[in-house]
PDB file of all heavy atoms in Angstrom:
ATOM      1  N   THR A 105      83.234  97.354  84.423  1.00 98.00           N
ATOM      2  CA  THR A 105      84.610  97.237  83.945  1.00 98.00           C
ATOM      3  C   THR A 105      85.037  95.770  84.004  1.00 98.00           C
ATOM      4  O   THR A 105      84.288  94.930  84.501  1.00 98.00           O
ATOM      5  CB  THR A 105      85.570  98.118  84.786  1.00 98.00           C
ATOM      6  OG1 THR A 105      86.834  98.181  84.136  1.00 98.00           O
ATOM      7  CG2 THR A 105      85.760  97.589  86.202  1.00 98.00           C
ATOM      8  N   TRP A 109      90.291  94.883  80.893  1.00 98.00           N
ATOM      9  CA  TRP A 109      90.369  96.296  80.474  1.00 98.00           C
ATOM     10  C   TRP A 109      91.354  97.046  81.375  1.00 98.00           C
ATOM     11  O   TRP A 109      92.223  97.770  80.890  1.00 98.00           O
ATOM     12  CB  TRP A 109      88.978  96.967  80.542  1.00 98.00           C
ATOM     13  CG  TRP A 109      88.954  98.308  79.846  1.00 98.00           C
ATOM     14  CD1 TRP A 109      88.564  98.563  78.560  1.00 98.00           C
ATOM     15  CD2 TRP A 109      89.388  99.574  80.388  1.00 98.00           C
ATOM     16  NE1 TRP A 109      88.712  99.899  78.259  1.00 98.00           N
ATOM     17  CE2 TRP A 109      89.221 100.545  79.368  1.00 98.00           C
ATOM     18  CE3 TRP A 109      89.898  99.989  81.607  1.00 98.00           C
ATOM     19  CZ2 TRP A 109      89.528 101.892  79.537  1.00 98.00           C
ATOM     20  CZ3 TRP A 109      90.220 101.343  81.773  1.00 98.00           C
ATOM     21  CH2 TRP A 109      90.033 102.267  80.753  1.00 98.00           C
ATOM     22  N   ARG A 113      94.802  98.592  79.846  1.00 97.00           N
ATOM     23  CA  ARG A 113      94.876 100.056  79.680  1.00 97.00           C
ATOM     24  C   ARG A 113      95.711 100.758  80.736  1.00 97.00           C
ATOM     25  O   ARG A 113      96.116 101.902  80.545  1.00 97.00           O
ATOM     26  CB  ARG A 113      93.477 100.679  79.718  1.00 97.00           C
ATOM     27  CG  ARG A 113      92.528 100.219  78.650  1.00 97.00           C
ATOM     28  CD  ARG A 113      93.011 100.619  77.275  1.00 97.00           C
ATOM     29  NE  ARG A 113      92.071 100.167  76.271  1.00 97.00           N
ATOM     30  CZ  ARG A 113      91.175 100.956  75.696  1.00 97.00           C
ATOM     31  NH1 ARG A 113      91.114 102.226  75.994  1.00 97.00           N
ATOM     32  NH2 ARG A 113      90.356 100.462  74.789  1.00 97.00           N
ATOM     33  N   CYS A 189     100.483 115.123  92.109  1.00 97.00           N
ATOM     34  CA  CYS A 189     101.368 113.953  91.960  1.00 97.00           C
ATOM     35  C   CYS A 189     102.836 114.345  91.810  1.00 97.00           C
ATOM     36  O   CYS A 189     103.713 113.480  91.871  1.00 97.00           O
ATOM     37  CB  CYS A 189     100.923 113.098  90.783  1.00 97.00           C
ATOM     38  SG  CYS A 189      99.240 112.496  90.967  1.00 97.00           S
ATOM     39  N   ARG A 228      83.868 104.789  86.396  1.00 97.00           N
ATOM     40  CA  ARG A 228      84.843 103.760  85.999  1.00 97.00           C
ATOM     41  C   ARG A 228      86.088 104.354  85.334  1.00 97.00           C
ATOM     42  O   ARG A 228      87.132 103.707  85.267  1.00 97.00           O
ATOM     43  CB  ARG A 228      84.190 102.748  85.061  1.00 97.00           C
ATOM     44  CG  ARG A 228      83.819 103.302  83.693  1.00 97.00           C
ATOM     45  CD  ARG A 228      83.270 102.225  82.803  1.00 97.00           C
ATOM     46  NE  ARG A 228      82.981 102.756  81.465  1.00 97.00           N
ATOM     47  CZ  ARG A 228      82.611 102.010  80.448  1.00 97.00           C
ATOM     48  NH1 ARG A 228      82.453 100.714  80.599  1.00 97.00           N
ATOM     49  NH2 ARG A 228      82.380 102.556  79.273  1.00 97.00           N
ATOM     50  N   MET A 293      88.681 113.824  85.572  1.00 97.00           N
ATOM     51  CA  MET A 293      89.907 113.792  84.750  1.00 97.00           C
ATOM     52  C   MET A 293      89.582 113.681  83.270  1.00 97.00           C
ATOM     53  O   MET A 293      88.702 112.931  82.873  1.00 97.00           O
ATOM     54  CB  MET A 293      90.740 112.577  85.181  1.00 97.00           C
ATOM     55  CG  MET A 293      92.054 112.437  84.445  1.00 97.00           C
ATOM     56  SD  MET A 293      92.973 111.002  85.033  1.00 97.00           S
ATOM     57  CE  MET A 293      91.977 109.684  84.406  1.00 97.00           C
ATOM     58  N   GLY A 295      91.205 112.040  80.771  1.00 95.00           N
ATOM     59  CA  GLY A 295      92.252 111.017  80.721  1.00 95.00           C
ATOM     60  C   GLY A 295      93.176 111.132  79.524  1.00 95.00           C
ATOM     61  O   GLY A 295      94.394 111.042  79.659  1.00 95.00           O
ATOM     62  N   ARG A 296      92.592 111.376  78.368  1.00 95.00           N
ATOM     63  CA  ARG A 296      93.438 111.422  77.154  1.00 95.00           C
ATOM     64  C   ARG A 296      94.391 112.603  77.178  1.00 95.00           C
ATOM     65  O   ARG A 296      95.550 112.502  76.778  1.00 95.00           O
ATOM     66  CB  ARG A 296      92.548 111.500  75.921  1.00 95.00           C
ATOM     67  CG  ARG A 296      91.918 110.170  75.621  1.00 95.00           C
ATOM     68  CD  ARG A 296      91.180 110.198  74.322  1.00 95.00           C
ATOM     69  NE  ARG A 296      90.429 108.956  74.179  1.00 95.00           N
ATOM     70  CZ  ARG A 296      89.630 108.699  73.161  1.00 95.00           C
ATOM     71  NH1 ARG A 296      89.468 109.584  72.205  1.00 95.00           N
ATOM     72  NH2 ARG A 296      88.995 107.555  73.099  1.00 95.00           N
ATOM     73  N   HIS A 330     106.601 108.700  88.369  1.00 98.00           N
ATOM     74  CA  HIS A 330     105.270 108.622  88.982  1.00 98.00           C
ATOM     75  C   HIS A 330     104.512 107.429  88.394  1.00 98.00           C
ATOM     76  O   HIS A 330     104.459 107.253  87.174  1.00 98.00           O
ATOM     77  CB  HIS A 330     104.524 109.933  88.730  1.00 98.00           C
ATOM     78  CG  HIS A 330     103.105 109.896  89.158  1.00 98.00           C
ATOM     79  ND1 HIS A 330     102.712 109.379  90.372  1.00 98.00           N
ATOM     80  CD2 HIS A 330     101.967 110.300  88.536  1.00 98.00           C
ATOM     81  CE1 HIS A 330     101.403 109.471  90.476  1.00 98.00           C
ATOM     82  NE2 HIS A 330     100.920 110.022  89.380  1.00 98.00           N
ATOM     83  N   ALA A 332     101.593 106.174  87.299  1.00 97.00           N
ATOM     84  CA  ALA A 332     100.223 106.519  86.891  1.00 97.00           C
ATOM     85  C   ALA A 332      99.636 105.445  85.988  1.00 97.00           C
ATOM     86  O   ALA A 332      98.464 105.101  86.110  1.00 97.00           O
ATOM     87  CB  ALA A 332     100.210 107.870  86.184  1.00 97.00           C
ATOM     88  N   ASN A 333     100.456 104.936  85.071  1.00 97.00           N
ATOM     89  CA  ASN A 333      99.943 104.021  84.058  1.00 97.00           C
ATOM     90  C   ASN A 333     101.132 103.306  83.402  1.00 97.00           C
ATOM     91  O   ASN A 333     102.115 103.950  83.039  1.00 97.00           O
ATOM     92  CB  ASN A 333      99.184 104.863  83.004  1.00 97.00           C
ATOM     93  CG  ASN A 333      98.507 104.017  81.960  1.00 97.00           C
ATOM     94  OD1 ASN A 333      99.087 103.069  81.435  1.00 97.00           O
ATOM     95  ND2 ASN A 333      97.265 104.362  81.650  1.00 97.00           N
TER      96      ASN A 333
HETATM   97  N1  COA B   9      86.439  99.834  82.107  1.00 68.30           N
HETATM   98  C1  COA B   9      85.957  99.632  80.885  1.00 68.30           C
HETATM   99  N2  COA B   9      85.850 100.598  79.965  1.00 68.30           N
HETATM  100  C2  COA B   9      86.241 101.830  80.321  1.00 68.30           C
HETATM  101  C3  COA B   9      86.772 102.120  81.589  1.00 68.30           C
HETATM  102  C4  COA B   9      86.869 101.062  82.508  1.00 68.30           C
HETATM  103  N3  COA B   9      87.347 101.210  83.743  1.00 68.30           N
HETATM  104  N4  COA B   9      87.094 103.419  81.644  1.00 68.30           N
HETATM  105  C5  COA B   9      86.797 103.942  80.447  1.00 68.30           C
HETATM  106  N5  COA B   9      86.267 102.984  79.653  1.00 68.30           N
HETATM  107  C6  COA B   9      85.796 103.094  78.287  1.00 68.30           C
HETATM  108  C7  COA B   9      85.376 104.495  77.919  1.00 68.30           C
HETATM  109  O1  COA B   9      84.050 104.750  78.337  1.00 68.30           O
HETATM  110  C8  COA B   9      85.513 104.462  76.427  1.00 68.30           C
HETATM  111  O2  COA B   9      84.390 103.833  75.890  1.00 68.30           O
HETATM  112  P1  COA B   9      83.727 104.353  74.517  1.00 68.30           P
HETATM  113  O3  COA B   9      84.816 104.168  73.496  1.00 68.30           O
HETATM  114  O4  COA B   9      82.570 103.462  74.355  1.00 68.30           O
HETATM  115  O5  COA B   9      83.403 105.787  74.776  1.00 68.30           O
HETATM  116  C9  COA B   9      86.709 103.545  76.203  1.00 68.30           C
HETATM  117  O6  COA B   9      86.868 102.792  77.402  1.00 68.30           O
HETATM  118  C10 COA B   9      87.983 104.266  75.883  1.00 68.30           C
HETATM  119  O7  COA B   9      88.106 105.324  76.815  1.00 68.30           O
HETATM  120  P2  COA B   9      89.354 106.269  76.837  1.00 68.30           P
HETATM  121  O8  COA B   9      89.204 107.271  77.931  1.00 68.30           O
HETATM  122  O9  COA B   9      89.636 106.756  75.452  1.00 68.30           O
HETATM  123  O10 COA B   9      90.455 105.188  77.232  1.00 68.30           O
HETATM  124  P3  COA B   9      92.018 105.347  77.234  1.00 68.30           P
HETATM  125  O11 COA B   9      92.625 104.348  76.372  1.00 68.30           O
HETATM  126  O12 COA B   9      92.417 106.778  77.075  1.00 68.30           O
HETATM  127  O13 COA B   9      92.354 104.936  78.724  1.00 68.30           O
HETATM  128  C11 COA B   9      92.907 105.984  80.808  1.00 68.30           C
HETATM  129  C12 COA B   9      91.809 105.674  79.799  1.00 68.30           C
HETATM  130  C13 COA B   9      92.288 106.785  81.949  1.00 68.30           C
HETATM  131  C14 COA B   9      93.453 104.672  81.355  1.00 68.30           C
HETATM  132  C15 COA B   9      94.035 106.768  80.102  1.00 68.30           C
HETATM  133  O14 COA B   9      93.481 107.862  79.416  1.00 68.30           O
HETATM  134  C16 COA B   9      95.043 107.276  81.061  1.00 68.30           C
HETATM  135  O15 COA B   9      95.759 106.507  81.663  1.00 68.30           O
HETATM  136  N6  COA B   9      95.208 108.596  81.152  1.00 68.30           N
HETATM  137  C17 COA B   9      96.159 109.170  82.062  1.00 68.30           C
HETATM  138  C18 COA B   9      95.580 109.103  83.445  1.00 68.30           C
HETATM  139  C19 COA B   9      96.577 109.444  84.499  1.00 68.30           C
HETATM  140  O16 COA B   9      97.678 108.988  84.445  1.00 68.30           O
HETATM  141  N7  COA B   9      96.122 110.233  85.463  1.00 68.30           N
HETATM  142  C20 COA B   9      96.872 110.586  86.592  1.00 68.30           C
HETATM  143  C21 COA B   9      98.035 111.432  86.254  1.00 68.30           C
HETATM  144  S1  COA B   9      98.737 111.982  87.695  1.00 68.30           S
END
Side-chain angles (χ1 to χ4, degrees):
T105 191
W109 192 95
R113 299 296 180 101
C189 301
R228 68 176 183 173
M293 182 179 70
R296 285 187 188 177
H330 173 46
N333 185 315

